[in-house]
Each structure stands twice: as structure tokens, then as C-alpha cells.
């Protein structure tokens, strides 16, 4: 297989799981290279996601590492076999930041999606005008062509909610996000109406944390939690001033599951959340 110049987050994740497996077995990259009849540099490339791995080789490695988690191994095989197929997001490569494409790929392959948003409506639930306004606040300002490409890519991301095999989607949204008037009253009102419509879909749950809620002060943290085919392949995506970060260490995943459950516990139920969103939209 040819060496990739760069790896996507999903390609890197496959390599990272193989590295975790090797390290858990106490086996060196040099020993793995001997098994595969190659050199340690190629093992490093595989574990960095820059070199693909076949199903036969992946299963040989799992056996060599004495990994008995057959569900994880099968999930990694599915991942490896699908990495050569290009998704719709590849049409935006070189135009939209790679991290935004990685998010779309994560959502596409997720078995379930959960998100916490404090100041913004979740990305896949946004309207086009709302998205354009949010990206329009970028510093430094985006060139018009890149701005429109980012808007188009985000709108296409929402297709994950409408396909036949759409994953369950849960959003915990703080009241602050509902009150933000991105684009002015008309745009903000249309966004809340769109959020209401989506909340009625059977696989989508939207719950609101009102300002009056107690028990979450200081713990609020925006994030996207994507569930993999097995729990070990879950991923957390967070935004920061420095860009997008993907987390998948077992301790990190456990912490973010706790965070989500903590905030969900103080959120309104779905019915009262819809009433709250309706009230907020009427006040715009």
C-alpha cells in the first residue's frame, strides 16, 4: 500500500488502536516488523495512519499481540476495509480545513451521537443563514469562497440525520445558545423554529439547560461524543482557540460520558424543552 502524505482522524485512529494493542502486549515495533517481514519504520507508519493495513495483516497482528477482544478486532477490520472509500466530504478537501472533514467522517460512521453546546446551536442542527453568520465571525475573516465552502460542507453534514440508517442523536443545549442572536432576530428565530422541527424526529432528542438550573456551574463544556461500533472506538471532539481536538483515551471517554450525564441530569425533559424553545423564539 502507498504511503499517505497525511492521514485522516479515522486513519490515525486505526493506527492508534494497533499501537495500543502492541504496547499492552509489551511488544516492540522491531518485533512486529520481524513478524511482518518489514522494517520498524513501516510499523511506525501503520501506527500513525500513514500506511494502510489489510484484513489478513490486521488479524495476524491481533493474534501476535494476544488480543482476545474479537468484537474490537472485527470492528477494526471493518474500519480498515472502508478506509479506501471516499466519502462525500472528500469533495471539500483542500478547500475546507481537514479537521472539519474529520468531524463529518466521524459523524457518518457513528452508531450514536451526543453533543453538549453552550453558546451555539449544534452544527448539524443549524440553518444555512445561522451557519453563514457564525463562520462570518471568524478571525481573521474568511475569504468569500472559503466561507461559502464551509457553509455548504456544514449543510451537507446534516445529511447524517436524514438517511435511512440515521444514528440516534441527543443534544443538550444551554439556554445561552438559544438567546444568542446570530444574524439578528429573523435569523435567530428561524433557527429556533428549525430546532423545534428537528426535535420532533423520532431519533433526535433536544434538551435545554435553563439559566435557572443548578448543579452544573463550572462543568459546562461543549463537545461532540461519537459512539463507535464498540465502546473502545468512541471518540470525543472538542473545539478550542487552537483548533479541533479528538480524544479517545479510555479515561478521557469515561470523563466525557460523566460530563454528558451530569449536564443531562439538570436539563429539561424533551416536552418542556420544546416549550422553552418556543417561548424563546417568540421573544425574538
Amino acid at each position: 500500500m502507498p504511503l499517505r502524505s497525511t492521514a485522516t482522524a479515522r486513519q490515525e485512529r486505526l493506527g492508534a488502536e494497533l499501537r495500543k494493542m502492541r504496547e499492552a502486549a509489551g511488544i516492540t515495533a522491531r518485533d512486529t516488523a520481524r513478524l511482518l517481514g518489514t522494517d520498524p519504520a513501516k510499523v511506525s507508519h501503520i501506527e500513525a495512519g500513514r500506511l494502510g493495513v489489510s484484513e489478513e495483516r490486521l488479524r495476524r497482528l491481533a493474534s501476535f499481540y494476544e488480543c482476545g477482544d474479537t468484537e474490537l478486532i472485527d470492528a477494526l477490520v471493518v474500519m480498515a476495509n472502508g478506509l479506501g472509500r471516499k466519502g462525500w466530504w472528500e469533495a471539500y478537501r483542500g478547500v475546507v480545513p481537514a479537521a472539519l472533514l474529520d468531524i463529518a467522517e466521524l459523524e457518518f460512521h457513528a452508531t450514536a451521537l451526543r453533543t453538549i453546546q453552550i453558546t451555539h446551536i449544534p452544527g448539524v442542527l443549524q440553518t444555512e443563514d445561522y451557519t453563514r453568520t457564525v463562520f462570518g465571525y471568524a478571525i481573521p475573516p474568511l475569504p468569500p469562497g472559503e466561507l461559502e465552502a464551509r457553509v455548504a460542507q456544514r449543510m451537507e453534514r446534516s445529511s447524517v440525520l436524514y438517511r435511512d440508517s440515521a444514528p440516534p442523536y441527543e443534544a443538550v443545549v444551554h439556554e445561552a445558545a438559544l438567546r444568542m442572536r446570530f444574524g439578528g432576530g429573523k435569523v435567530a428565530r428561524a433557527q429556533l423554529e428549525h430546532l423545534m422541527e428537528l426535535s420532533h424526529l423520532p431519533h433526535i432528542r433536544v434538551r435545554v439547560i435553563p439559566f435557572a438550573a443548578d448543579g452544573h456551574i463550572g462543568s459546562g463544556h461543549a463537545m461532540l461524543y461519537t459512539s463507535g461500533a464498540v465502546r473502545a472506538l468512541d471518540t470525543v471532539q472538542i473545539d478550542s482557540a487552537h483548533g479541533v481536538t479528538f480524544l479517545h483515551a479510555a479515561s478521557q471517554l469515561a470523563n466525557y460520558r460523566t460530563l454528558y450525564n451530569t449536564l443531562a441530569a439538570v436539563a429539561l425533559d424533551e416536552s418542556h424543552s420544546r416549550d422553552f424553545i418556543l417561548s424563546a423564539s417568540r421573544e425574538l
Side-chain angles (χ1 to χ4, degrees):
M1 295 183 181
L3 191 65
R4 304 177 180 117
S5 57
T6 58
T8 68
R10 190 168 169 82
Q11 290 164 346
E12 289 179 347
R13 181 62 182 280
L14 175 61
E17 291 301 317
L18 291 173
R19 184 182 67 251
K20 290 179 191 176
M21 205 181 290
R22 175 179 62 76
E23 292 175 346
I27 293 173
T28 67
R30 187 174 296 277
D31 290 336
T32 298
R34 290 196 189 100
L35 172 75
L36 300 179
T38 186
D39 58 84
K42 287 190 176 179
V43 174
S44 295
H45 287 318
I46 290 172
E47 293 181 350
R50 296 190 62 204
L51 188 63
V53 59
S54 66
E55 176 177 350
E56 186 274 335
R57 179 168 281 190
L58 193 157
R59 292 191 183 279
R60 282 182 65 201
L61 289 174
S63 176
F64 185 54
Y65 300 151
E66 297 184 346
C67 177
D69 191 338
T70 56
E71 288 188 349
L72 173 61
I73 295 168
D74 289 344
L76 292 176
V77 166
V78 171
M79 184 184 294
N81 289 339
L83 286 176
R85 302 169 193 158
K86 291 188 175 182
W88 63 261
W89 50 87
E90 290 297 331
Y92 295 92
R93 193 163 298 282
V95 181
V96 168
L100 299 185
L101 308 186
D102 288 335
I103 294 172
E105 186 176 29
L106 275 174
E107 291 171 336
F108 182 84
H109 291 286
T111 58
L113 294 162
R114 286 178 285 176
T115 188
I116 298 168
Q117 291 297 327
I118 308 300
T119 59
H120 295 80
I121 301 301
V124 295
L125 305 183
Q126 292 178 7
T127 66
E128 183 173 338
D129 289 338
Y130 183 97
T131 294
R132 183 173 287 104
T133 301
V134 171
F135 281 134
Y137 291 151
I139 299 175
L142 298 171
E146 183 175 346
L147 172 62
E148 291 307 314
R150 289 199 190 193
V151 172
Q153 190 263 349
R154 176 159 291 184
M155 291 300 98
E156 200 158 356
R157 268 179 59 196
S158 66
S159 64
V160 71
L161 301 177
Y162 302 107
R163 69 190 191 204
D164 292 338
S165 57
Y169 184 93
E170 298 182 13
V172 172
V173 182
H174 196 277
E175 180 181 350
L178 306 182
R179 302 294 183 184
M180 295 290 187
R181 298 197 177 197
F182 292 118
K186 183 178 180 180
V187 170
R189 187 181 307 109
Q191 174 61 76
L192 294 186
E193 291 171 353
H194 181 63
L195 185 63
M196 281 279 292
E197 292 174 6
L198 292 176
S199 74
H200 286 283
L201 295 179
H203 62 291
I204 295 177
R205 298 182 65 197
V206 177
R207 298 176 62 200
V208 174
I209 300 177
F211 285 130
D214 193 12
H216 71 284
I217 303 301
S219 63
H221 190 83
M223 67 96 176
L224 171 66
Y225 191 106
T226 65
S227 298
V230 295
R231 176 168 278 195
L233 295 180
D234 292 358
T235 302
V236 168
Q237 178 265 315
I238 58 175
D239 294 320
S240 72
H242 305 290
V244 174
T245 301
F246 299 98
L247 307 173
H248 50 75
S251 59
Q252 293 170 325
L253 295 175
N255 286 340
Y256 277 94
R257 285 194 295 270
T258 299
L259 172 64
Y260 184 88
N261 292 335
T262 298
L263 295 184
V266 298
L268 302 174
D269 63 28
E270 292 174 78
S271 177
H272 287 93
S273 291
R274 291 192 190 99
D275 292 341
F276 197 99
I277 295 169
L278 178 60
S279 176
S281 69
R282 287 174 174 172
E283 293 174 14
L284 291 170

